[in-house]
Amino acid sequence: MPFTVDHPIEANAHLCSMRLINVKTFLERESLIREGKRVDRRAKVLDFGDDEATEYVILSHRWVGQEVDYDEMIELAKMAVEERDEIRQRDGYRKILQSCERAQKDGYEWLWVDTCCIDKRSSAELSEAINSMYRWYENAVVCYAYLHDVPDPCFPTANDKERYPDFNGWPEWFSRGWTLQELIAPGNVQFLNRNWQGIGDKTMLAPTLRNITGVPEHVLIHGLCGNRPCVAQIMSWAARRTTTRVEDRAYSLMGLLDVNMPMLYGEGKKAFHRLQLEIIRASNDHSIFAWTYNVRTGSILADNPSFFRFCGRMELMGHDEFIQFVKKDEDAPEEELDSVEDRLGTFPITNRGIQIWLLLRPCRGFPSLFQAWLPCRDGPMASPVTIDLALWESNYYRGPVSYFGQFPPEGPLRLRQVNLRYQDPPHRNTTFQIDDSALIENGFTCCDTYPMKFARDGTLTLTSTNSLCIKIYSNSLTNHRFVVGLGLSFGKDWIHVVSDGSNTIPRSSWRDYVEQKYIEMKARTPEHAQHMNKARSSGAEHHGQVCIMQTRLPRTTRILQISSVMWRSSRMYGVKLEVFRDPGFGNVSGEWTAFDVDVGSFFALIGTSITIYLRREQTIPAVTGGVS
């Protein structure tokens, strides 16, 4: 594909693929400048070349300090002396100079350096360069890997956190996203220390490089053209690497994963989501769903490569081998297994999600949670990988891996076509303000909150990463205890209560009890969010909405009432907790009932008890009173 350039001088630059530094011309220009002689301003230091027909060397390095860009490179001879000298004194210029000197010494005429060989003012050129980068490194005769922070005349073979505290004990070059492809793509990588001395090559150092990077030796020596690892394993190599721009965590992996896509700087983590969708369109590698680092319920796609950090041994399973594992399960759907290969082979992307056939097993006691089997495994002799899915409104989302550690799946294993949601649910923060004074007046105390604490004014803000908090109340006189959960899931806010009955727990096991209740509440997130959302959806859009739920405390005539007022404009919830004797007006359903608030009533609510307001509007029977 030809360059689309924004500058008239290059409009007729013919169909060439990359700019290269003319080593001889560059060094001659530098020599003339150094000697104070007249420089030919028309001499072309940069020229186009075909990466498949030209012998060239390529530099891999860390951007440190001020580099030299394309415009400065070609205009250097035309600059005033002071401006020219400032550029020539930069470390970035010295890198180019010493790379050229090394290339000339090794007998090469052309050199590519990313800082100055791409005109980054042209978005089209930058996008094409990034999409071509892997091929350019792969076609280079030699790649010079310059380790600017290695002073020694030999390659570091042991982790040294004193010398490299910020980079996991190794030189910074090994911590960067772009240098991963620059290590793997070229057949010949020569490592150079701070003084440009050779300290080893990739083949000789393969065992050490494997320990540093996690990349298998056969990939380091032979590249990706032979026994290509699965997507999850390749992603794992980048899990601990960083980039200056968050989008580059995705863009730097395109060549390694053999996909192309346009650059959209400013899209943030969506770049990594787009990368995964491009991979899915190009392959049927199920390991792309096998990431195991998960702290949220949401998109089936990982947010960044770190989610694959534990996938270094991941490999795909052959169809026959996968079926044999499935058949070992006593609940395997043998009548459906003959069609598994065809059905697992494709998973198109639709506006509802990724349409895919999966083997699913429900979680015991949790109808919205499922375990899915994937035809890949964590090592040669391992069983198929399983992932946790949460069902919400006919779509399946990725669920936290802690679910099935607590609640093992059981029941029949079934082959089902499902929609895996790749769009994240809406993200927003919601603030709850709790009024539990009526509980305190009737002998209840708040004995714990987990995992967050409320502010002094009784408020708590939930986010997409801190999406659930529980409060535990107890009454030592009446021996009652209940748990109130405040949640934010699938873009919906919700409140739920669980009554426990007995109030006796040894203090030594109290923390285990609290964490268990939190996990149980989180595992039922889809159900709790659905219950409250169902009540709300029947109302119209007004200034706010009142939701009421009453539930009976076990083995008593007492009722816990939760009243919630939502101010739509501020995402603020006012929550009032009350306990009273059953007035005998009918069954207590434990279901939410919602009441919309119009403009006049909305302002009447301010500074007024919810119970008083509802009594005045006669929307529910007036139920008040204490616990005796």
Side-chain angles (χ1 to χ4, degrees):
M1 186 169 67
F3 272 135
T4 301
V5 295
D6 298 338
H7 309 296
I9 193 171
E10 292 164 358
N12 299 314
H14 51 77
L15 305 182
C16 297
S17 59
M18 64 191 303
R19 281 194 190 84
L20 292 164
I21 299 173
N22 186 317
V23 171
K24 180 180 178 182
T25 303
F26 176 85
L27 292 175
E28 286 178 350
R29 185 180 73 174
E30 173 59 23
S31 178
L32 291 171
I33 293 173
R34 188 183 301 132
E35 296 170 6
K37 296 181 180 179
R38 189 164 180 263
V39 179
D40 183 0
R41 299 185 176 187
R42 295 172 300 176
K44 295 188 70 173
V45 173
L46 295 177
D47 207 348
F48 283 96
D50 186 333
D51 64 287
E52 294 185 355
T54 306
E55 281 197 349
Y56 63 93
V57 292
I58 200 164
L59 178 66
S60 175
H61 65 112
R62 275 292 297 121
W63 287 38
V64 180
Q66 192 173 4
E67 300 289 345
V68 177
D69 63 25
Y70 164 79
D71 193 50
E72 292 170 327
M73 188 70 164
I74 62 172
E75 297 292 335
L76 190 72
K78 304 175 185 178
M79 294 178 181
V81 173
E82 290 183 1
E83 186 179 2
R84 178 196 300 171
D85 288 345
E86 184 276 322
I87 292 172
R88 292 176 57 243
Q89 290 170 8
R90 295 178 193 169
D91 288 340
Y93 186 85
R94 304 299 299 175
K95 257 190 301 195
I96 297 171
L97 173 60
Q98 288 167 310
S99 297
C100 285
E101 290 174 344
R102 176 79 189 207
Q104 187 179 64
K105 178 183 176 182
D106 293 341
Y108 299 107
E109 299 178 15
W110 301 97
L111 167 69
W112 188 87
V113 180
D114 57 352
T115 56
C116 63
C117 290
I118 306 170
D119 185 357
K120 300 175 184 65
R121 296 172 300 180
S122 167
S123 58
E125 181 174 331
L126 177 61
S127 181
E128 183 168 350
I130 290 177
N131 276 277
S132 305
M133 198 85 68
Y134 186 89
R135 190 185 78 242
W136 291 352
Y137 275 90
E138 186 176 38
N139 288 339
V141 180
V142 180
C143 173
Y144 297 142
Y146 176 58
L147 309 185
H148 72 281
D149 50 1
V150 177
D152 302 324
C154 56
F155 190 90
T157 56
N159 187 286
D160 188 344
K161 291 191 176 180
E162 286 191 15
R163 175 171 287 180
Y164 310 110
D166 298 326
F167 310 113
N168 201 33
W170 298 103
E172 186 184 4
W173 189 87
F174 293 100
S175 72
R176 307 303 296 180
W178 287 105
T179 56
L180 177 61
Q181 71 171 4
E182 295 162 16
L183 170 68
I184 294 172
N188 184 356
V189 178
Q190 298 290 327
F191 289 95
L192 307 171
N193 69 6
R194 178 190 298 172
N195 301 315
W196 294 86
Q197 297 171 306
I199 54 175
D201 64 72
K202 181 170 69 167
T203 301
M204 177 186 74
L205 295 169
T208 300
L209 295 173
R210 178 202 60 208
N211 294 335
I212 298 173
T213 65
V215 180
E217 286 187 52
H218 73 86
V219 173
L220 291 167
I221 296 171
H222 303 294
L224 293 171
C225 57
N227 183 18
R228 190 180 186 89
C230 66
V231 168
Q233 185 181 150
I234 293 175
M235 292 284 198
S236 75
W237 305 337
R240 291 176 173 83
R241 291 174 176 258
T242 60
T243 56
T244 303
R245 300 288 296 268
V246 64
E247 296 87 353
D248 284 337
R249 295 198 77 180
Y251 303 158
S252 63
L253 289 169
M254 291 192 301
L256 290 164
L257 296 162
D258 198 23
V259 295
N260 296 96
M261 64 184 195
M263 309 297 100
L264 296 172
Y265 282 105
E267 65 177 328
K269 74 173 187 179
K270 289 182 180 179
F272 194 66
H273 286 181
R274 280 202 300 129
L275 175 71
Q276 292 167 87
L277 293 176
E278 289 300 324
I279 294 168
I280 291 168
R281 290 187 180 99
S283 75
N284 60 358
D285 188 331
H286 284 70
S287 76
I288 197 168
F289 307 121
W291 45 274
T292 55
Y293 175 72
N294 189 22
V295 294
R296 48 79 167 157
T297 298
S299 169
I300 191 65
L301 304 177
D303 290 342
N304 59 65
S306 69
F307 280 44
F308 291 88
R309 66 181 63 175
F310 303 118
C311 296
R313 287 164 43 85
M314 194 70 66
E315 61 179 38
L316 298 179
M317 296 180 69
H319 167 72
D320 293 340
E321 193 172 10
F322 180 59
I323 295 303
Q324 289 306 312
F325 267 104
V326 174
K327 285 182 176 180
K328 293 177 184 178
D329 191 284
E330 60 183 15
D331 293 317
E334 293 197 28
E335 69 281 0
E336 299 177 338
L337 294 182
D338 291 339
S339 64
V340 166
E341 183 173 15
D342 292 335
R343 290 179 174 180
L344 293 183
T346 59
F347 32 98
I349 298 170
T350 72
N351 60 349
R352 285 194 58 190
I354 299 166
Q355 197 174 81
I356 188 171
W357 287 89
L358 290 174
L359 286 161
L360 295 181
R361 171 170 282 139
C363 179
R364 179 174 58 201
F366 294 85
S368 298
L369 300 182
F370 298 83
Q371 184 185 75
W373 291 31
L374 302 177
C376 54
R377 59 190 175 191
D378 187 24
M381 304 303 295
S383 301
V385 168
T386 61
I387 60 172
D388 302 344
L389 299 176
L391 177 62
W392 171 259
E393 294 182 340
S394 77
N395 290 306
Y396 289 78
Y397 291 82
R398 188 67 190 265
V401 295
S402 61
Y403 284 165
F404 294 116
Q406 299 288 328
F407 318 111
E410 67 175 13
L413 189 65
R414 292 291 178 258
L415 185 65
R416 294 288 182 263
Q417 188 177 43
V418 301
N419 290 307
L420 299 180
R421 194 72 172 172
Y422 60 84
Q423 302 93 336
D424 267 323
H427 289 311
R428 60 169 179 261
N429 297 347
T430 297
T431 299
F432 291 88
Q433 184 164 35
I434 303 294
D435 178 3
D436 56 6
S437 57
L439 291 181
I440 307 303
E441 291 171 1
N442 285 280
F444 282 84
T445 59
C446 177
C447 46
D448 212 340
T449 62
Y450 182 84
M452 296 162 280
K453 300 298 181 184
F454 282 67
R456 290 185 177 181
D457 61 356
T459 61
L460 174 76
T461 298
L462 296 180
T463 67
S464 59
T465 53
N466 294 305
S467 59
L468 172 64
C469 184
I470 62 172
K471 293 194 78 170
I472 302 175
Y473 292 90
S474 67
N475 188 320
S476 57
L477 295 178
T478 59
N479 202 33
H480 292 130
R481 182 179 57 248
F482 59 86
V483 182
V484 176
L486 307 172
L488 175 61
S489 309
F490 305 106
K492 304 295 182 181
D493 321 291
W494 54 269
I495 307 169
H496 189 74
V497 62
V498 176
S499 300
D500 248 12
S502 174
N503 197 34
T504 57
I505 294 177
R507 202 63 206 173
S508 60
S509 60
W510 176 255
R511 181 49 55 185
D512 291 340
Y513 167 81
V514 172
E515 292 178 357
Q516 180 67 20
K517 290 300 174 186
Y518 174 84
I519 292 171
E520 290 177 4
M521 191 81 74
K522 195 168 185 66
R524 292 194 181 275
T525 283
E527 299 164 54
H528 301 330
Q530 184 62 43
H531 288 163
M532 201 162 185
N533 187 52
K534 182 179 178 181
R536 289 178 180 150
S537 61
S538 60
E541 288 289 328
H542 293 287
H543 277 267
Q545 195 173 57
V546 178
C547 292
I548 303 291
M549 182 180 72
Q550 295 181 344
T551 183
R552 194 185 306 278
L553 296 178
R555 299 186 299 278
T556 74
T557 59
R558 294 176 178 83
I559 290 175
L560 169 67
Q561 176 172 289
I562 304 178
S563 310
S564 170
V565 175
M566 179 185 71
W567 318 134
R568 294 193 188 279
S569 60
S570 64
R571 304 304 308 170
M572 169 73 80
Y573 279 83
V575 181
K576 186 175 181 65
L577 306 176
E578 300 172 277
V579 175
F580 49 85
R581 287 189 179 278
D582 185 354
F585 294 150
N587 293 329
V588 177
S589 66
E591 298 291 330
W592 284 100
T593 304
F595 305 90
D596 288 311
V597 183
D598 59 23
V599 176
S601 300
F602 176 79
F603 288 107
L605 269 173
I606 299 176
T608 307
S609 160
I610 296 172
T611 304
I612 295 175
Y613 168 76
L614 292 174
R615 185 188 305 158
R616 186 180 67 238
E617 296 297 313
Q618 297 182 345
T619 53
I620 64 169
V623 283
T624 58
V627 177
S628 60

